[in-house]
Amino acid sequence: MSTYAEALMSDVQTKNPAEPEFHQAVEEVVESLVAVVDRHPEYRSAKVLERLIEPERVVMFRVPWIDDQGDVRVNRGFRIEMNSAIGPYKGGLRFHPSVNLGILKFLAFEQVFKNSLTTLPLGGGKGGSDFDPKGKSDIEVMRFCQSFMTELFRHIGHNTDVPAGDIGVGGREIGFLFGQYKRIVNEFTGVLTGKGRNWGGSLIRPEATGYGAVYFAANMLETRDESLEGKTCLVSGSGNVAQFATEKLSALGAKVVTLSDSSGYIHDPDGIDEAKLAWVMALKNERRGRIAEYADEFSGASYVEHDPNLDHNPIWSHAADCAFPCATQNEINERDAKHLLDGGVTVVSEGANMPSDAKAVDHFIDRKILFGPGKAANAGGVAVSGLEMAQNSMRYSWTREEVDERLKLIMKDIHTATVDAAERFDVKGNYVAGANIAGFLKVADAMLDQGIV
Ligand code: NDP
């Protein structure tokens, strides 16, 4: 690391103690950008990087609600408004007990670069709560969402900040949040994306992140004259992103053999076909059950319980050609990365945000596999959110085919921008550096144009 990068990182660590995920995300970006700031001293003198790592605004608030037993519960709510140089803040809301300030800052920071890569005018933000929707009744989730929005509404707006879903926030939660916003503000606007189809949602928005990660993998494979057809794939997670990555992979002739949740993973050597995936979707989206049930339902499949004492994640030890981590951050460590490569994997496309830790990423890059970092590979979700905002502004809806075509084009453009930026800065084939550089340049130039703000 250069002295400049070292000084910057030391500052980040001192100013933001106990936020390891934020440090990790910043370090990866700063390492990629050293060559850029060396070549462009104007970014350095305007302290663009120093400003980028400081959120424009952080809102933290109390979320009181009443459970079905009549007891008062108190959660903590957050919204990180990271950067608005190229458009209104945009990024999901995460409801998960692990949520804290550092995790949301890492996600908001990554979102700035990702949104810039989509080619759409979107700034970066992220938010959420340590509320756990698991095991709560629909009415409890509604009460929580209404209380959360009763504070959040004053900080957001269709030209200011437009949240969407993330872990633990799907169509049900977006519905409750939107209903409460509309009730308080007395306005029907596109203030959230991921809305229901008949009240302003875009077709393909639920599918977009998973589909996009698969399109990105196909784009990477094309550079080696290969396709996804006939490839065996490991997918982690079994939520929104994992489900639609699996759907698109099967449609393109690949075979998905794993899925997981926070309790464990299933391995099905026969592949998770359309009918099995429909069963998983009903299990996860309607019955809200555990993935373990898959192995009872389908013969030939096995279930492995999550073991917190293991120093690796056994889902990544199965033989395969491609891996799509679609659950959560840091689910692939260096050991897992080695297992993946030993098992034959040559393509990793990150559906989740930062699922590979720093050493795993280094291993993928050293071994020159096709590694698509989340910032680029999972940008399809926010891209279609951007398309949802455009449709809301026009009060018009595009067809499923039109949105899917735009999504494919955007993923291709992101791939091209990433490859080109890597080449221009002498790191050919390195998608991590390419995505960081391409995402950075657009935001940095806008920040230079807008003065010291
Ligand atoms: P969902 O809540 O729909 O699904 C998350 C899945 O990951 C579930 O299977 C969940 O298991 C599992 N999971 C969550 N936390 C953990 C954990 N700590 N350890 C192991 N497994 C875990 O979320 P999404 O599918 O929307 O999001 C998945 C990833 O994709 C996240 O990293 C998110 O930030 C990223 N992403 C999502 C986008 C979107 O459009 N939704 C856009 C871009 C990125 P369980 O059911 O047990 O909780």
Side-chain angles (χ1 to χ4, degrees):
M1 226 196 275
S2 71
T3 20
Y4 171 60
E6 263 174 27
L8 203 71
M9 277 319 300
S10 145
D11 218 34
V12 168
Q13 278 154 10
T14 313
K15 267 192 174 169
N16 307 277
E19 295 180 8
E21 292 87 359
F22 182 58
H23 305 164
Q24 183 184 337
V26 173
E27 184 159 348
E28 181 209 283
V29 168
V30 169
E31 275 177 358
S32 304
L33 294 179
V34 168
V36 182
V37 289
D38 280 351
R39 226 186 265 184
H40 292 275
E42 65 275 21
Y43 296 140
R44 201 145 152 179
S45 55
K47 299 263 192 306
V48 169
L49 265 175
E50 288 83 344
R51 284 190 280 149
L52 260 170
I53 56 182
E54 202 59 55
E56 288 178 12
R57 188 175 300 109
V58 173
V59 190
M60 194 165 108
F61 50 98
R62 177 173 70 210
V63 190
W65 57 282
I66 295 175
D67 68 18
D68 286 346
Q69 283 66 50
D71 291 331
V72 176
R73 305 275 201 108
V74 184
N75 285 99
R76 185 171 281 179
F78 302 87
R79 187 70 185 164
I80 317 296
E81 296 184 333
M82 198 75 194
N83 193 294
S84 61
I86 62 168
Y89 310 107
K90 180 89 197 89
L93 295 172
R94 176 177 290 192
F95 292 170
H96 193 273
S98 64
V99 161
N100 60 38
L101 185 60
I103 288 183
L104 293 179
K105 276 169 67 183
F106 118 63
L107 289 163
F109 181 72
E110 296 252 305
Q111 197 81 42
V112 173
F113 298 85
K114 181 190 313 196
N115 292 4
S116 163
L117 280 171
T118 64
T119 69
L120 301 172
L122 303 169
K126 199 85 189 186
S129 173
D130 57 358
F131 172 74
D132 187 358
K134 244 183 263 143
K136 306 288 189 305
S137 69
D138 286 352
I139 297 297
E140 287 178 318
V141 171
M142 183 182 79
R143 283 191 216 112
F144 173 81
C145 287
Q146 290 180 341
S147 181
F148 184 84
M149 187 52 87
T150 301
E151 173 56 34
L152 186 69
F153 87 94
R154 69 190 85 244
H155 308 289
I156 61 175
H158 69 288
N159 285 323
T160 312
D161 184 353
V162 185
D166 190 73
I167 291 179
V169 179
R172 174 182 62 168
E173 290 75 16
I174 293 290
F176 294 147
L177 291 163
F178 183 78
Q180 184 71 350
Y181 180 86
K182 183 167 61 63
R183 182 188 191 193
I184 298 173
V185 178
N186 194 27
E187 247 183 32
F188 194 111
T189 67
V191 67
L192 292 159
T193 56
K195 298 186 288 298
R197 267 296 325 288
N198 51 0
W199 45 277
S202 175
L203 285 161
I204 303 281
R205 175 60 190 92
E207 293 88 338
T209 307
Y211 280 16
V214 175
Y215 295 150
F216 196 82
N219 292 148
M220 292 196 292
L221 277 162
E222 245 175 65
T223 64
R224 295 186 182 175
D225 293 323
E226 285 185 59
S227 79
L228 283 161
E229 196 171 351
K231 298 270 193 297
T232 298
C233 303
L234 307 176
V235 174
S236 66
S238 50
N240 171 268
V241 181
Q243 291 171 16
F244 288 106
T246 302
E247 182 174 280
K248 185 53 76 179
L249 284 166
S250 304
L252 295 178
K255 181 163 87 168
V256 175
V257 294
T258 59
L259 284 174
S260 69
D261 61 21
S262 49
S263 311
Y265 79 92
I266 58 102
H267 180 240
D268 183 348
D270 298 332
I272 300 163
D273 60 17
E274 207 181 312
K276 290 174 180 173
L277 179 62
W279 184 91
V280 171
M281 286 181 171
L283 171 80
K284 283 290 170 184
N285 309 344
E286 289 159 31
R287 290 196 283 124
R288 299 186 188 274
R290 309 307 297 156
I291 200 68
E293 293 176 40
Y294 184 102
D296 301 329
E297 182 71 16
F298 300 107
S299 61
S302 53
Y303 173 69
V304 177
E305 184 92 13
H306 172 63
D307 177 355
N309 298 317
L310 274 185
D311 62 357
H312 67 287
N313 188 346
I315 191 174
W316 306 123
S317 301
H318 293 275
D321 305 296
C322 313
F324 292 82
C326 297
T328 193
Q329 63 272 5
N330 293 328
E331 53 172 319
I332 300 181
N333 63 22
E334 189 179 19
R335 218 163 149 204
D336 298 318
K338 286 183 178 153
H339 290 159
L340 280 168
L341 269 56
D342 291 347
V345 163
T346 56
V347 181
V348 177
S349 186
E350 294 188 330
N353 283 309
M354 209 166 75
S356 314
D357 76 12
K359 284 190 173 153
V361 173
D362 287 346
H363 191 66
F364 294 145
I365 292 172
D366 286 349
R367 296 282 295 271
K368 298 198 178 346
I369 67 155
L370 295 169
F371 173 64
K375 269 187 215 92
N378 72 35
V382 71
V384 174
S385 276
L387 300 181
E388 183 170 321
M389 289 161 73
Q391 292 171 83
N392 290 165
S393 299
M394 293 188 294
R395 302 207 183 278
Y396 185 75
S397 299
W398 290 317
T399 64
R400 195 179 163 83
E401 291 70 30
E402 279 173 312
V403 180
D404 197 24
E405 218 31 61
R406 282 171 207 266
L407 170 63
K408 268 187 214 153
L409 264 179
I410 290 173
M411 295 315 296
K412 196 158 187 62
D413 286 348
I414 293 174
H415 181 266
T416 307
T418 302
V419 168
D420 288 354
E423 272 190 38
R424 250 185 312 140
F425 285 88
D426 308 321
V427 278
K428 193 169 176 217
N430 181 337
Y431 284 88
V432 174
N436 287 337
I437 295 168
F440 169 79
L441 288 173
K442 189 168 152 195
V443 177
D445 288 340
M447 288 173 75
L448 286 186
D449 291 345
Q450 292 169 18
I452 307 301
V453 291

